[in-house]
Amino acid sequence: MFKSFARACAVGLIALASLAAQAGELPQVVIVATGGTIAGAGASAVNSASYQAAKVPVDKLLASVPELNTVARVRGEQAFQIASESFTNEHLLTLGRKVAELVAKPDVDGVVVTHGTDTLEETAFFLNLTIHTDKPIVVVGSMRPGTALSADGALNLYDAVAVAGEPTARAKGVLVVMDDCIWSGRDVAKTINIRTDAFQSPWGPLGMIVEGKSYWFRAPVKRHTSNSEFDIANLTTLPRVDVGYGSGNANGDAFKAFAAAGAKAVINAGTGNGSVSKEVVPTLQELTARGVTVVRSSRVTGGGFVIRNAEQPDDKYGWVAAHDLNPQKARILTMLGLTVTNDPAQLQRMFWEY
């Protein structure tokens, strides 16, 4: 009897929240769905690592978490229904335009983007660099499909909506909310693929969210959103930028192939401090002479930090050091940078500032 009474009370509270939302007392948050695990389904409740992503449409996703109505007036829009490993530059541009259109509306207080976790960090960084707004934009995913035991998607989505409607989340850039943590979209990265605490940043979270309430501990200092020199409104295409992975016995073949296929820049995902194998250096020098931008990043998990003119004479070669951005995020910034300039000095400035 007690459980039935408690459930009835919960349903009543959700109904009251819905009435309050209709009266305009709650923030309005739009959820833009793109697919991913958070919209996935497995064959059984024990399938938490093997499942099909991007199966559940946004309306059913929202209906599965009625508690959203206690923290915001929510509505959903289906941008894509794909697994995020298939996210292309065209998807980034389309999504960016949609988010920019939404945050420009006076009756929208925040936007949540549901996304597959494989490339979630790249999309978050792209939006962080291209959307001119102080309104909260939150990217969220899940590590387990909604059909799994201990699925994390429902709570992650609830937390993301709560943060997106929170005035204290304004002007902090694009955020990623996962596993009770609020991360900067700039520096968070997926570090493991089978645990719910998969997303981490070498500099720690910006804050935590507990039972729908945000607690903040630091703020981003790098340029973002309304303070960015990049604007989605000015972007029609993005130049090709490819990533070559450093390892023992590395050679320059991949970089040559990238350039032959039309790459305007290559990212060296180097060992350690963005190191470049002696077998690869001549190839990258040759590509630089042909006008291909070379960026040294690090493949180190959880905090590769590339120091300019260490390991390689960047000034002499005209190369760019990726600072603390991992290879996939270095690719995003390099693409955007090349829409403005191909001057290595200016590109290096961007890596220091963003």
Side-chain angles (χ1 to χ4, degrees):
M1 178 181 288
F2 177 78
K3 288 183 179 180
S4 298
F5 176 75
R7 181 58 184 169
C9 289
V11 171
L13 287 173
I14 292 171
L16 288 173
S18 297
L19 290 173
Q22 294 171 15
E25 297 174 7
L26 292 175
Q28 177 161 295
V29 174
V30 181
I31 299 174
V32 180
T34 70
T37 299
I38 196 169
S44 76
V46 297
N47 291 121
S48 62
S50 56
Y51 51 85
Q52 284 188 301
K55 299 295 290 183
V56 181
V58 65
D59 56 342
K60 291 187 177 180
L61 183 63
L62 301 192
S64 70
V65 192
E67 291 81 5
L68 295 175
N69 294 314
T70 67
V71 289
R73 293 173 289 152
V74 295
R75 64 179 178 86
E77 296 195 13
Q78 192 79 50
F80 317 114
Q81 188 67 298
I82 59 175
S84 71
E85 68 268 20
S86 298
F87 237 76
T88 65
N89 289 350
E90 288 70 30
H91 288 114
L92 287 175
L93 291 168
T94 299
L95 177 63
R97 294 186 193 107
K98 169 55 66 176
V99 172
E101 173 191 326
L102 289 170
V103 295
K105 296 181 177 182
D107 62 339
V108 173
D109 298 296
V111 171
V112 169
V113 177
T114 64
H115 201 288
T117 58
D118 280 0
T119 58
L120 184 152
E121 65 197 80
E122 296 168 58
T123 296
F125 190 40
F126 178 80
L127 298 175
N128 191 62
L129 295 173
T130 60
I131 309 299
H132 284 212
T133 186
D134 287 339
K135 293 181 181 180
I137 300 170
V138 181
V139 187
V140 64
S142 72
M143 296 306 298
R144 296 170 178 166
T147 52
L149 292 172
S150 299
D152 56 326
L155 182 56
N156 285 350
L157 182 59
Y158 173 84
D159 286 347
V161 169
V163 171
E166 173 61 61
T168 61
R170 294 178 69 97
K172 288 183 170 66
V174 172
L175 306 170
V176 171
V177 171
M178 294 280 292
D179 199 40
D180 303 326
C181 292
I182 307 170
W183 304 97
S184 168
R186 176 197 180 270
D187 47 53
V188 73
K190 184 177 181 179
T191 60
I192 192 170
N193 66 320
I194 54 172
R195 294 208 316 243
T196 57
D197 61 345
F199 282 77
Q200 302 291 328
S201 164
W203 318 125
L206 301 182
M208 301 285 294
I209 181 163
V210 181
E211 296 182 352
K213 180 174 176 54
S214 303
Y215 298 87
W216 302 94
F217 301 104
R218 69 179 182 95
V221 298
K222 299 289 189 176
R223 292 177 65 180
H224 59 74
T225 52
S226 57
N227 192 34
S228 174
E229 66 197 271
F230 313 112
D231 189 339
I232 190 67
N234 301 327
L235 298 173
T236 55
T237 60
L238 293 169
R240 176 169 176 163
V241 177
D242 288 304
V243 180
Y245 200 80
S247 63
N249 204 47
N251 61 60
D253 291 350
F255 293 106
K256 292 176 184 177
F258 291 147
K264 303 302 181 184
V266 292
I267 312 297
N268 175 65
T271 53
N273 182 18
S275 303
V276 184
S277 163
K278 67 179 181 179
E279 301 298 328
V280 176
V281 168
T283 297
L284 296 186
Q285 288 177 304
E286 177 187 338
L287 295 185
T288 302
R290 290 162 47 189
V292 177
T293 297
V294 173
V295 179
R296 288 194 308 113
S297 184
S298 174
R299 71 176 200 183
V300 172
T301 301
F305 196 100
V306 178
I307 301 171
R308 186 169 178 81
N309 293 317
E311 297 293 342
Q312 294 294 331
D314 297 304
D315 287 344
K316 177 182 177 181
Y317 293 162
W319 293 351
V320 177
H323 193 26
D324 66 322
L325 294 179
N326 63 26
Q328 54 269 35
K329 292 196 175 185
R331 186 187 75 90
I332 296 292
L333 181 53
T334 302
M335 285 194 303
L336 291 170
L338 288 176
T339 66
V340 177
T341 181
N342 60 3
D343 179 1
Q346 285 300 308
L347 293 170
Q348 186 64 72
R349 171 190 62 79
M350 295 171 184
F351 273 91
W352 296 149
E353 293 181 3
Y354 293 94

